Amino acid sequence: MRLRNVLFSTATVSALALLSACGGGAGTAASSGGAPMVGVDYPRSDTDFWNSYIKYTPKYAKELGVALKTTNSQNDVAKLTANAQTFISQGVKGVAMAPQDTAAIAPTLAQLEAKKIPVVTVDTRPDTGNVFMVVRADNRAYGEKACQFLGTKLGGKGKVVMLEGGLDSINGRDRTEAFNDCMKKNYPDIKVFGEATNWDGAVAAQKLQTDLTANPDIKGVYMESSFALAGTLQVLKQKGLLVPPSDKKHVFVVSNDGIPEELKSIAAGKIDATVSQPADLYAKYALYYLKAAIDGKTFKPGTTDHDSTIVQVRPGLLEDQLSAPLVTADGATYGGVPSVKSDDASLWGNNLG
């Protein structure tokens, strides 16, 4: 495989079963046989998106020729720090992680750097500290795409609720700031109720219910992740608002992730759009870049052969921004943003089988 403008050489739920067998601690997958051993810390296993990432990881480890040690930090930076210590003691040659608190991870990154263990972060980018590569989609684009969709559907007027993720995460901040900026610039007559949820579905549902009670004319919801899907649908159903898009009572809902349940909900008219965050490619390219780092290869900004762009986000830090398309029922263009249909075979959420 080759990247344009980049220098390097070629080099299920089975993962869940593995974690269970190991009591959620360090596990082993793949064999030795000369394959370099890498550590992968799963950030959590309580969402469909991250469970999909867990499922894909051993598949791509086998494909790329690396052996695995795995841990699960369960959305706790202290556990992630301890898991990194475990990886060091096991002699791994590289570590992939997805720190949910992107500020607090800096000391752990410094320790791994001191041990000359390359790190690839997935989905999130550390606020400070060095990593070999960040594998991520453009999260500001998530917020902008959601804004353009809702702004178009509401005709530039009305009220929407934004169920924010954790603002201690670069992802939560990017999605929130981009959505707000886009609304102020393009749809100033839409009022946004921003609700902090810390990626907690129960909190999101409670705040949405409160907003709808106080403002029954709310016509849009932006969920910054599929963590809020089940609760949002339940609240809309309780309020008599879970009706087809053709019904004037319909509340337009946009999510982020692209899990199978979202795609089914779009097809059924329960929600209206999502941004497909590539769980499969996160797993693939996290391991791909770790293997490249172990092999001593280097990268520079430029377009790639897998429909992404490597950008320099700050001196010495590169990020491969993978493609994350807007997904809708009709595959139309909204506010200049093209979309793909929810049944498109290219979407990973349609290929978990």
Side-chain angles (χ1 to χ4, degrees), residues 1-9 133 285 288-289 298-311 318-320:
M1 183 183 294
R2 291 180 294 175
L3 290 171
R4 292 186 289 273
N5 300 326
V6 179
L7 302 175
F8 69 98
S9 68
M133 182 68 73
Y285 287 102
Y288 174 77
Y289 285 117
T298 58
F299 299 81
K300 62 182 180 180
T303 56
T304 75
D305 65 355
H306 51 271
D307 193 26
S308 69
T309 303
I310 295 176
V311 300
L318 298 178
E319 177 173 300
D320 187 356

Side-chain angles (χ1 to χ4, degrees), residues 15-321:
L16 290 172
L18 173 64
L19 283 172
S20 176
C22 297
T28 308
S31 59
S32 51
M37 183 71 70
V38 301
V40 177
D41 182 80
Y42 301 135
R44 56 200 302 172
S45 53
D46 59 349
T47 70
D48 289 343
F49 177 82
W50 285 113
N51 283 338
S52 297
Y53 172 77
I54 290 171
K55 177 180 178 180
Y56 281 115
T57 297
K59 170 187 174 183
Y60 286 116
K62 182 177 180 181
E63 180 179 302
L64 293 167
V66 296
L68 290 180
K69 293 286 186 179
T70 61
T71 56
N72 191 321
S73 53
Q74 300 173 339
N75 206 26
D76 185 332
V77 70
K79 289 182 180 178
L80 177 52
T81 297
N83 291 344
Q85 295 287 341
T86 299
F87 287 147
I88 291 171
S89 69
Q90 292 172 330
V92 300
K93 302 301 182 183
V95 173
M97 62 173 69
Q100 303 298 283
D101 186 329
T102 52
I105 194 59
T108 300
L109 295 179
Q111 185 176 27
L112 289 163
E113 184 178 20
K115 297 287 185 180
K116 300 189 184 305
I117 299 174
V119 175
V120 171
T121 63
V122 180
D123 179 53
T124 62
R125 180 177 69 232
D127 295 354
T128 59
N130 297 321
V131 300
F132 181 78
M133 182 68 73
V134 177
V135 175
R136 187 171 177 254
D138 182 350
N139 277 245
R140 286 193 62 86
Y142 290 13
E144 291 165 359
K145 291 174 182 179
C147 160
Q148 294 291 359
F149 180 85
L150 288 177
T152 300
K153 285 295 188 181
L154 271 62
K157 296 181 180 180
K159 300 176 181 179
V160 302
V161 178
M162 173 170 53
L163 300 175
E164 302 166 354
L167 298 184
D168 58 351
S169 160
I170 185 66
N171 290 353
R173 295 195 298 271
D174 276 358
R175 298 175 199 185
T176 297
E177 291 169 3
F179 186 83
N180 282 330
D181 290 348
C182 171
M183 280 293 181
K184 289 176 183 176
K185 178 181 178 181
N186 299 291
Y187 306 104
D189 292 330
I190 292 181
K191 180 175 178 56
V192 178
F193 297 93
E195 300 291 2
T197 71
N198 197 32
W199 310 114
D200 187 313
V203 172
Q206 182 272 319
K207 292 191 173 182
L208 177 59
Q209 186 167 36
T210 298
D211 284 337
L212 284 169
T213 299
N215 299 273
D217 55 343
I218 284 171
K219 285 297 180 181
V221 178
Y222 171 37
M223 308 182 300
E224 291 190 5
S225 167
S226 59
F227 76 94
L229 178 63
T232 294
L233 293 179
Q234 182 178 23
V235 170
L236 292 177
K237 184 176 181 179
Q238 290 173 347
K239 295 284 186 180
L241 301 173
L242 193 61
V243 294
S246 57
D247 191 310
K248 65 180 182 179
K249 293 190 299 181
H250 182 77
V251 175
F252 292 96
V253 180
V254 185
S255 187
N256 285 164
D257 277 345
I259 63 172
E261 193 58 36
E262 287 176 326
L263 303 184
K264 293 175 184 175
S265 293
I266 291 172
K270 295 179 180 179
I271 70 171
D272 303 273
T274 189
V275 178
S276 180
Q277 184 170 217
D280 56 341
L281 299 184
Y282 280 1
K284 178 177 182 177
Y285 287 102
L287 296 173
Y288 174 77
Y289 285 117
L290 279 185
K291 181 67 161 53
I294 294 166
D295 290 343
K297 307 307 173 185
T298 58
F299 299 81
K300 62 182 180 180
T303 56
T304 75
D305 65 355
H306 51 271
D307 193 26
S308 69
T309 303
I310 295 176
V311 300
Q312 180 172 294
V313 293
R314 60 176 182 260
L317 185 65
L318 298 178
E319 177 173 300
D320 187 356
Q321 295 187 337

